PDB file of all heavy atoms in Angstrom:
ATOM      1  N   MET A   1     169.285-117.468  35.595  1.00 46.00           N
ATOM      2  CA  MET A   1     170.661-116.983  35.717  1.00 46.00           C
ATOM      3  C   MET A   1     170.677-115.767  36.628  1.00 46.00           C
ATOM      4  O   MET A   1     169.977-114.800  36.422  1.00 46.00           O
ATOM      5  CB  MET A   1     171.153-116.587  34.328  1.00 46.00           C
ATOM      6  CG  MET A   1     172.414-115.759  34.377  1.00 46.00           C
ATOM      7  SD  MET A   1     172.876-115.251  32.716  1.00 46.00           S
ATOM      8  CE  MET A   1     173.861-113.826  33.095  1.00 46.00           C
ATOM      9  N   SER A   2     171.458-115.824  37.678  1.00 46.00           N
ATOM     10  CA  SER A   2     171.645-114.630  38.484  1.00 46.00           C
ATOM     11  C   SER A   2     173.063-114.637  39.001  1.00 46.00           C
ATOM     12  O   SER A   2     173.504-115.592  39.628  1.00 46.00           O
ATOM     13  CB  SER A   2     170.658-114.605  39.655  1.00 46.00           C
ATOM     14  OG  SER A   2     170.939-115.667  40.519  1.00 46.00           O
ATOM     15  N   SER A   3     173.779-113.608  38.660  1.00 52.00           N
ATOM     16  CA  SER A   3     175.149-113.548  39.153  1.00 52.00           C
ATOM     17  C   SER A   3     175.502-112.093  39.336  1.00 52.00           C
ATOM     18  O   SER A   3     175.211-111.265  38.494  1.00 52.00           O
ATOM     19  CB  SER A   3     176.103-114.191  38.134  1.00 52.00           C
ATOM     20  OG  SER A   3     175.932-113.557  36.893  1.00 52.00           O
ATOM     21  N   THR A   4     176.070-111.768  40.474  1.00 58.00           N
ATOM     22  CA  THR A   4     176.508-110.398  40.656  1.00 58.00           C
ATOM     23  C   THR A   4     177.982-110.330  40.295  1.00 58.00           C
ATOM     24  O   THR A   4     178.759-111.208  40.645  1.00 58.00           O
ATOM     25  CB  THR A   4     176.303-109.933  42.108  1.00 58.00           C
ATOM     26  OG1 THR A   4     176.670-110.989  42.956  1.00 58.00           O
ATOM     27  CG2 THR A   4     174.873-109.554  42.355  1.00 58.00           C
ATOM     28  N   VAL A   5     178.305-109.298  39.550  1.00 64.00           N
ATOM     29  CA  VAL A   5     179.671-109.171  39.083  1.00 64.00           C
ATOM     30  C   VAL A   5     180.391-108.166  39.958  1.00 64.00           C
ATOM     31  O   VAL A   5     179.837-107.123  40.280  1.00 64.00           O
ATOM     32  CB  VAL A   5     179.682-108.696  37.621  1.00 64.00           C
ATOM     33  CG1 VAL A   5     181.087-108.550  37.117  1.00 64.00           C
ATOM     34  CG2 VAL A   5     178.899-109.661  36.775  1.00 64.00           C
ATOM     35  N   GLN A   6     181.594-108.507  40.380  1.00 64.00           N
ATOM     36  CA  GLN A   6     182.414-107.566  41.137  1.00 64.00           C
ATOM     37  C   GLN A   6     182.670-106.320  40.314  1.00 64.00           C
ATOM     38  O   GLN A   6     183.079-106.405  39.156  1.00 64.00           O
ATOM     39  CB  GLN A   6     183.768-108.240  41.465  1.00 64.00           C
ATOM     40  CG  GLN A   6     183.744-109.054  42.725  1.00 64.00           C
ATOM     41  CD  GLN A   6     183.624-108.177  43.968  1.00 64.00           C
ATOM     42  OE1 GLN A   6     184.474-107.342  44.215  1.00 64.00           O
ATOM     43  NE2 GLN A   6     182.574-108.376  44.751  1.00 64.00           N
ATOM     44  N   SER A   7     182.403-105.155  40.902  1.00 64.00           N
ATOM     45  CA  SER A   7     182.658-103.937  40.146  1.00 64.00           C
ATOM     46  C   SER A   7     184.152-103.725  39.981  1.00 64.00           C
ATOM     47  O   SER A   7     184.911-103.810  40.947  1.00 64.00           O
ATOM     48  CB  SER A   7     182.044-102.731  40.858  1.00 64.00           C
ATOM     49  OG  SER A   7     182.402-101.571  40.169  1.00 64.00           O
ATOM     50  N   THR A   8     184.561-103.493  38.770  1.00 66.00           N
ATOM     51  CA  THR A   8     185.976-103.226  38.522  1.00 66.00           C
ATOM     52  C   THR A   8     186.214-101.736  38.430  1.00 66.00           C
ATOM     53  O   THR A   8     187.341-101.291  38.282  1.00 66.00           O
ATOM     54  CB  THR A   8     186.420-103.866  37.200  1.00 66.00           C
ATOM     55  OG1 THR A   8     185.518-103.426  36.186  1.00 66.00           O
ATOM     56  CG2 THR A   8     186.405-105.363  37.277  1.00 66.00           C
ATOM     57  N   GLY A   9     185.105-100.962  38.494  1.00 70.00           N
ATOM     58  CA  GLY A   9     185.229 -99.515  38.399  1.00 70.00           C
ATOM     59  C   GLY A   9     185.600 -99.036  37.016  1.00 70.00           C
ATOM     60  O   GLY A   9     185.874 -97.872  36.807  1.00 70.00           O
ATOM     61  N   ARG A  10     185.595 -99.971  36.052  1.00 79.00           N
ATOM     62  CA  ARG A  10     185.936 -99.564  34.698  1.00 79.00           C
ATOM     63  C   ARG A  10     184.775 -98.813  34.096  1.00 79.00           C
ATOM     64  O   ARG A  10     183.618 -99.186  34.267  1.00 79.00           O
ATOM     65  CB  ARG A  10     186.239-100.792  33.846  1.00 79.00           C
ATOM     66  CG  ARG A  10     187.737-100.956  33.649  1.00 79.00           C
ATOM     67  CD  ARG A  10     188.007-101.869  32.523  1.00 79.00           C
ATOM     68  NE  ARG A  10     187.728-103.252  32.909  1.00 79.00           N
ATOM     69  CZ  ARG A  10     187.990-104.273  32.091  1.00 79.00           C
ATOM     70  NH1 ARG A  10     188.485-104.060  30.906  1.00 79.00           N
ATOM     71  NH2 ARG A  10     187.730-105.502  32.471  1.00 79.00           N
ATOM     72  N   THR A  11     185.067 -97.754  33.369  1.00 81.00           N
ATOM     73  CA  THR A  11     183.979 -97.007  32.732  1.00 81.00           C
ATOM     74  C   THR A  11     184.082 -97.203  31.231  1.00 81.00           C
ATOM     75  O   THR A  11     185.066 -97.721  30.724  1.00 81.00           O
ATOM     76  CB  THR A  11     184.089 -95.509  33.037  1.00 81.00           C
ATOM     77  OG1 THR A  11     185.381 -95.075  32.641  1.00 81.00           O
ATOM     78  CG2 THR A  11     183.882 -95.243  34.506  1.00 81.00           C
ATOM     79  N   TRP A  12     183.035 -96.783  30.585  1.00 83.00           N
ATOM     80  CA  TRP A  12     183.062 -96.855  29.127  1.00 83.00           C
ATOM     81  C   TRP A  12     182.347 -95.646  28.567  1.00 83.00           C
ATOM     82  O   TRP A  12     181.298 -95.236  29.060  1.00 83.00           O
ATOM     83  CB  TRP A  12     182.392 -98.122  28.633  1.00 83.00           C
ATOM     84  CG  TRP A  12     182.412 -98.229  27.142  1.00 83.00           C
ATOM     85  CD1 TRP A  12     183.433 -98.701  26.386  1.00 83.00           C
ATOM     86  CD2 TRP A  12     181.398 -97.820  26.242  1.00 83.00           C
ATOM     87  NE1 TRP A  12     183.114 -98.609  25.051  1.00 83.00           N
ATOM     88  CE2 TRP A  12     181.873 -98.081  24.932  1.00 83.00           C
ATOM     89  CE3 TRP A  12     180.138 -97.250  26.379  1.00 83.00           C
ATOM     90  CZ2 TRP A  12     181.133 -97.800  23.796  1.00 83.00           C
ATOM     91  CZ3 TRP A  12     179.391 -96.964  25.246  1.00 83.00           C
ATOM     92  CH2 TRP A  12     179.901 -97.244  23.965  1.00 83.00           C
ATOM     93  N   LYS A  13     182.929 -95.069  27.530  1.00 83.00           N
ATOM     94  CA  LYS A  13     182.301 -93.939  26.846  1.00 83.00           C
ATOM     95  C   LYS A  13     182.305 -94.244  25.375  1.00 83.00           C
ATOM     96  O   LYS A  13     183.268 -94.816  24.869  1.00 83.00           O
ATOM     97  CB  LYS A  13     183.130 -92.678  27.102  1.00 83.00           C
ATOM     98  CG  LYS A  13     182.485 -91.727  28.079  1.00 83.00           C
ATOM     99  CD  LYS A  13     183.063 -90.345  27.821  1.00 83.00           C
ATOM    100  CE  LYS A  13     182.789 -89.382  28.955  1.00 83.00           C
ATOM    101  NZ  LYS A  13     184.034 -88.703  29.374  1.00 83.00           N
ATOM    102  N   LYS A  14     181.256 -93.859  24.702  1.00 82.00           N
ATOM    103  CA  LYS A  14     181.219 -94.081  23.255  1.00 82.00           C
ATOM    104  C   LYS A  14     182.375 -93.322  22.620  1.00 82.00           C
ATOM    105  O   LYS A  14     182.565 -92.151  22.893  1.00 82.00           O
ATOM    106  CB  LYS A  14     179.892 -93.571  22.701  1.00 82.00           C
ATOM    107  CG  LYS A  14     179.694 -93.871  21.223  1.00 82.00           C
ATOM    108  CD  LYS A  14     178.316 -93.431  20.775  1.00 82.00           C
ATOM    109  CE  LYS A  14     178.152 -93.455  19.268  1.00 82.00           C
ATOM    110  NZ  LYS A  14     178.368 -94.760  18.660  1.00 82.00           N
ATOM    111  N   PRO A  15     183.157 -94.010  21.774  1.00 81.00           N
ATOM    112  CA  PRO A  15     184.244 -93.296  21.115  1.00 81.00           C
ATOM    113  C   PRO A  15     183.666 -92.187  20.248  1.00 81.00           C
ATOM    114  O   PRO A  15     182.644 -92.385  19.600  1.00 81.00           O
ATOM    115  CB  PRO A  15     184.913 -94.362  20.240  1.00 81.00           C
ATOM    116  CG  PRO A  15     184.203 -95.627  20.476  1.00 81.00           C
ATOM    117  CD  PRO A  15     183.058 -95.402  21.387  1.00 81.00           C
ATOM    118  N   PHE A  17     182.763 -89.457  17.357  1.00 78.00           N
ATOM    119  CA  PHE A  17     182.560 -89.609  15.916  1.00 78.00           C
ATOM    120  C   PHE A  17     183.835 -89.234  15.151  1.00 78.00           C
ATOM    121  O   PHE A  17     184.228 -89.895  14.208  1.00 78.00           O
ATOM    122  CB  PHE A  17     181.400 -88.704  15.517  1.00 78.00           C
ATOM    123  CG  PHE A  17     180.960 -88.880  14.100  1.00 78.00           C
ATOM    124  CD1 PHE A  17     180.577 -90.129  13.650  1.00 78.00           C
ATOM    125  CD2 PHE A  17     180.909 -87.802  13.235  1.00 78.00           C
ATOM    126  CE1 PHE A  17     180.157 -90.296  12.347  1.00 78.00           C
ATOM    127  CE2 PHE A  17     180.493 -87.966  11.939  1.00 78.00           C
ATOM    128  CZ  PHE A  17     180.122 -89.210  11.489  1.00 78.00           C
TER     129      PHE A  17
ATOM    130  N   THR B  95     179.497 -99.736  17.914  1.00 91.00           N
ATOM    131  CA  THR B  95     180.656-100.398  18.501  1.00 91.00           C
ATOM    132  C   THR B  95     180.235-101.707  19.153  1.00 91.00           C
ATOM    133  O   THR B  95     179.043-101.952  19.381  1.00 91.00           O
ATOM    134  CB  THR B  95     181.297 -99.513  19.579  1.00 91.00           C
ATOM    135  OG1 THR B  95     180.311 -99.284  20.582  1.00 91.00           O
ATOM    136  CG2 THR B  95     181.785 -98.204  19.009  1.00 91.00           C
ATOM    137  N   MET B  97     180.734-102.535  22.198  1.00 93.00           N
ATOM    138  CA  MET B  97     180.102-102.258  23.497  1.00 93.00           C
ATOM    139  C   MET B  97     178.633-101.890  23.323  1.00 93.00           C
ATOM    140  O   MET B  97     177.771-102.371  24.050  1.00 93.00           O
ATOM    141  CB  MET B  97     180.857-101.125  24.201  1.00 93.00           C
ATOM    142  CG  MET B  97     180.273-100.741  25.547  1.00 93.00           C
ATOM    143  SD  MET B  97     180.182-102.128  26.731  1.00 93.00           S
ATOM    144  CE  MET B  97     181.636-101.823  27.730  1.00 93.00           C
ATOM    145  N   GLU B  98     178.336-101.072  22.338  1.00 92.00           N
ATOM    146  CA  GLU B  98     176.926-100.703  22.134  1.00 92.00           C
ATOM    147  C   GLU B  98     176.090-101.921  21.750  1.00 92.00           C
ATOM    148  O   GLU B  98     174.954-102.073  22.204  1.00 92.00           O
ATOM    149  CB  GLU B  98     176.804 -99.631  21.049  1.00 92.00           C
ATOM    150  CG  GLU B  98     177.192 -98.258  21.526  1.00 92.00           C
ATOM    151  CD  GLU B  98     177.407 -97.295  20.376  1.00 92.00           C
ATOM    152  OE1 GLU B  98     178.352 -97.515  19.599  1.00 92.00           O
ATOM    153  OE2 GLU B  98     176.646 -96.345  20.251  1.00 92.00           O
ATOM    154  N   TYR B 118     175.407 -95.898  30.161  1.00 90.00           N
ATOM    155  CA  TYR B 118     174.953 -97.167  30.725  1.00 90.00           C
ATOM    156  C   TYR B 118     175.289 -97.220  32.208  1.00 90.00           C
ATOM    157  O   TYR B 118     176.320 -96.688  32.634  1.00 90.00           O
ATOM    158  CB  TYR B 118     175.619 -98.326  29.986  1.00 90.00           C
ATOM    159  CG  TYR B 118     175.405 -98.275  28.496  1.00 90.00           C
ATOM    160  CD1 TYR B 118     176.470 -98.107  27.625  1.00 90.00           C
ATOM    161  CD2 TYR B 118     174.121 -98.353  27.960  1.00 90.00           C
ATOM    162  CE1 TYR B 118     176.276 -98.041  26.253  1.00 90.00           C
ATOM    163  CE2 TYR B 118     173.922 -98.280  26.590  1.00 90.00           C
ATOM    164  CZ  TYR B 118     175.001 -98.126  25.747  1.00 90.00           C
ATOM    165  OH  TYR B 118     174.800 -98.046  24.384  1.00 90.00           O
ATOM    166  N   GLN B 120     176.771 -98.342  35.757  1.00 90.00           N
ATOM    167  CA  GLN B 120     178.086 -98.923  36.033  1.00 90.00           C
ATOM    168  C   GLN B 120     178.026-100.445  36.098  1.00 90.00           C
ATOM    169  O   GLN B 120     178.898-101.132  35.588  1.00 90.00           O
ATOM    170  CB  GLN B 120     178.649 -98.338  37.330  1.00 90.00           C
ATOM    171  CG  GLN B 120     180.063 -98.800  37.653  1.00 90.00           C
ATOM    172  CD  GLN B 120     181.064 -98.406  36.561  1.00 90.00           C
ATOM    173  OE1 GLN B 120     181.025 -97.300  36.033  1.00 90.00           O
ATOM    174  NE2 GLN B 120     181.956 -99.323  36.202  1.00 90.00           N
ATOM    175  N   ILE B 123     178.080-101.981  32.739  1.00 91.00           N
ATOM    176  CA  ILE B 123     179.401-101.910  32.113  1.00 91.00           C
ATOM    177  C   ILE B 123     180.309-102.982  32.707  1.00 91.00           C
ATOM    178  O   ILE B 123     181.031-103.681  31.995  1.00 91.00           O
ATOM    179  CB  ILE B 123     179.986-100.492  32.289  1.00 91.00           C
ATOM    180  CG1 ILE B 123     179.180 -99.517  31.440  1.00 91.00           C
ATOM    181  CG2 ILE B 123     181.455-100.465  31.898  1.00 91.00           C
ATOM    182  CD1 ILE B 123     179.563 -98.079  31.612  1.00 91.00           C
ATOM    183  N   ASP B 124     180.238-103.134  34.057  1.00 90.00           N
ATOM    184  CA  ASP B 124     181.037-104.183  34.711  1.00 90.00           C
ATOM    185  C   ASP B 124     180.669-105.551  34.155  1.00 90.00           C
ATOM    186  O   ASP B 124     181.534-106.353  33.828  1.00 90.00           O
ATOM    187  CB  ASP B 124     180.789-104.170  36.231  1.00 90.00           C
ATOM    188  CG  ASP B 124     181.445-102.957  36.870  1.00 90.00           C
ATOM    189  OD1 ASP B 124     182.425-102.446  36.287  1.00 90.00           O
ATOM    190  OD2 ASP B 124     180.972-102.521  37.933  1.00 90.00           O
ATOM    191  N   ARG B 125     179.366-105.804  34.052  1.00 90.00           N
ATOM    192  CA  ARG B 125     178.917-107.099  33.563  1.00 90.00           C
ATOM    193  C   ARG B 125     179.382-107.327  32.122  1.00 90.00           C
ATOM    194  O   ARG B 125     179.855-108.406  31.767  1.00 90.00           O
ATOM    195  CB  ARG B 125     177.385-107.188  33.630  1.00 90.00           C
ATOM    196  CG  ARG B 125     176.811-108.512  33.135  1.00 90.00           C
ATOM    197  CD  ARG B 125     175.306-108.513  33.210  1.00 90.00           C
ATOM    198  NE  ARG B 125     174.829-108.259  34.552  1.00 90.00           N
ATOM    199  CZ  ARG B 125     174.795-109.179  35.517  1.00 90.00           C
ATOM    200  NH1 ARG B 125     175.161-110.405  35.266  1.00 90.00           N
ATOM    201  NH2 ARG B 125     174.368-108.874  36.718  1.00 90.00           N
ATOM    202  N   PHE B 127     182.020-106.013  30.574  1.00 92.00           N
ATOM    203  CA  PHE B 127     183.456-106.305  30.516  1.00 92.00           C
ATOM    204  C   PHE B 127     183.742-107.715  31.018  1.00 92.00           C
ATOM    205  O   PHE B 127     184.556-108.436  30.452  1.00 92.00           O
ATOM    206  CB  PHE B 127     184.255-105.278  31.327  1.00 92.00           C
ATOM    207  CG  PHE B 127     184.589-104.045  30.534  1.00 92.00           C
ATOM    208  CD1 PHE B 127     184.160-102.789  30.940  1.00 92.00           C
ATOM    209  CD2 PHE B 127     185.345-104.144  29.367  1.00 92.00           C
ATOM    210  CE1 PHE B 127     184.465-101.661  30.213  1.00 92.00           C
ATOM    211  CE2 PHE B 127     185.659-103.016  28.632  1.00 92.00           C
ATOM    212  CZ  PHE B 127     185.209-101.768  29.053  1.00 92.00           C
ATOM    213  N   HIS B 128     183.037-108.096  32.082  1.00 90.00           N
ATOM    214  CA  HIS B 128     183.219-109.431  32.640  1.00 90.00           C
ATOM    215  C   HIS B 128     182.912-110.497  31.596  1.00 90.00           C
ATOM    216  O   HIS B 128     183.715-111.408  31.345  1.00 90.00           O
ATOM    217  CB  HIS B 128     182.303-109.572  33.856  1.00 90.00           C
ATOM    218  CG  HIS B 128     182.275-110.952  34.437  1.00 90.00           C
ATOM    219  ND1 HIS B 128     183.313-111.458  35.169  1.00 90.00           N
ATOM    220  CD2 HIS B 128     181.332-111.925  34.376  1.00 90.00           C
ATOM    221  CE1 HIS B 128     183.023-112.698  35.543  1.00 90.00           C
ATOM    222  NE2 HIS B 128     181.824-113.000  35.071  1.00 90.00           N
ATOM    223  N   GLU B 131     185.342-110.413  28.635  1.00 90.00           N
ATOM    224  CA  GLU B 131     186.602-111.048  28.989  1.00 90.00           C
ATOM    225  C   GLU B 131     186.449-112.561  28.980  1.00 90.00           C
ATOM    226  O   GLU B 131     187.322-113.293  28.506  1.00 90.00           O
ATOM    227  CB  GLU B 131     187.069-110.587  30.379  1.00 90.00           C
ATOM    228  CG  GLU B 131     188.088-109.479  30.280  1.00 90.00           C
ATOM    229  CD  GLU B 131     188.088-108.603  31.524  1.00 90.00           C
ATOM    230  OE1 GLU B 131     187.635-109.075  32.595  1.00 90.00           O
ATOM    231  OE2 GLU B 131     188.545-107.452  31.415  1.00 90.00           O
ATOM    232  N   ASP B 140     185.706-100.949  21.749  1.00 89.00           N
ATOM    233  CA  ASP B 140     185.478 -99.720  20.995  1.00 89.00           C
ATOM    234  C   ASP B 140     185.523 -99.907  19.493  1.00 89.00           C
ATOM    235  O   ASP B 140     185.423 -98.948  18.732  1.00 89.00           O
ATOM    236  CB  ASP B 140     186.530 -98.668  21.391  1.00 89.00           C
ATOM    237  CG  ASP B 140     186.177 -98.047  22.736  1.00 89.00           C
ATOM    238  OD1 ASP B 140     185.031 -98.261  23.192  1.00 89.00           O
ATOM    239  OD2 ASP B 140     187.036 -97.377  23.316  1.00 89.00           O
ATOM    240  N   LEU B 160     173.516-112.817  26.738  1.00 91.00           N
ATOM    241  CA  LEU B 160     173.738-113.053  28.172  1.00 91.00           C
ATOM    242  C   LEU B 160     173.525-111.790  28.992  1.00 91.00           C
ATOM    243  O   LEU B 160     173.191-111.853  30.181  1.00 91.00           O
ATOM    244  CB  LEU B 160     175.149-113.595  28.406  1.00 91.00           C
ATOM    245  CG  LEU B 160     175.406-114.989  27.826  1.00 91.00           C
ATOM    246  CD1 LEU B 160     176.835-115.408  28.085  1.00 91.00           C
ATOM    247  CD2 LEU B 160     174.434-116.010  28.406  1.00 91.00           C
ATOM    248  N   GLU B 163     170.537-111.282  31.136  1.00 91.00           N
ATOM    249  CA  GLU B 163     170.344-112.164  32.283  1.00 91.00           C
ATOM    250  C   GLU B 163     169.159-113.081  32.012  1.00 91.00           C
ATOM    251  O   GLU B 163     168.174-113.102  32.761  1.00 91.00           O
ATOM    252  CB  GLU B 163     170.103-111.354  33.561  1.00 91.00           C
ATOM    253  CG  GLU B 163     171.307-110.512  33.928  1.00 91.00           C
ATOM    254  CD  GLU B 163     171.087-109.734  35.199  1.00 91.00           C
ATOM    255  OE1 GLU B 163     171.314-110.310  36.280  1.00 91.00           O
ATOM    256  OE2 GLU B 163     170.649-108.581  35.111  1.00 91.00           O
ATOM    257  N   PRO B 164     169.258-113.844  30.930  1.00 92.00           N
ATOM    258  CA  PRO B 164     168.103-114.615  30.491  1.00 92.00           C
ATOM    259  C   PRO B 164     167.843-115.827  31.374  1.00 92.00           C
ATOM    260  O   PRO B 164     168.740-116.283  32.090  1.00 92.00           O
ATOM    261  CB  PRO B 164     168.503-115.056  29.080  1.00 92.00           C
ATOM    262  CG  PRO B 164     169.977-115.128  29.118  1.00 92.00           C
ATOM    263  CD  PRO B 164     170.443-114.087  30.080  1.00 92.00           C
ATOM    264  N   LEU B 195     176.583-120.699  34.210  1.00 87.00           N
ATOM    265  CA  LEU B 195     175.494-119.788  34.558  1.00 87.00           C
ATOM    266  C   LEU B 195     174.208-120.533  34.896  1.00 87.00           C
ATOM    267  O   LEU B 195     173.184-119.910  35.124  1.00 87.00           O
ATOM    268  CB  LEU B 195     175.230-118.821  33.389  1.00 87.00           C
ATOM    269  CG  LEU B 195     176.440-117.986  32.944  1.00 87.00           C
ATOM    270  CD1 LEU B 195     176.161-117.263  31.642  1.00 87.00           C
ATOM    271  CD2 LEU B 195     176.827-116.991  34.033  1.00 87.00           C
TER     272      LEU B 195
END
Side-chain angles (χ1 to χ4, degrees):
Chain A
M1 166 183 157
S2 65
S3 55
T4 41
V5 180
Q6 273 290 300
S7 175
T8 53
R10 257 197 286 185
T11 55
W12 180 84
K13 254 203 195 130
K14 185 176 169 59
F17 187 56
Chain B
T95 60
M97 179 57 99
E98 283 165 295
Y118 305 116
Q120 184 60 42
I123 291 175
D124 288 335
R125 180 181 303 281
F127 274 120
H128 173 74
E131 262 154 22
D140 283 347
L160 294 179
E163 296 181 85
L195 303 169

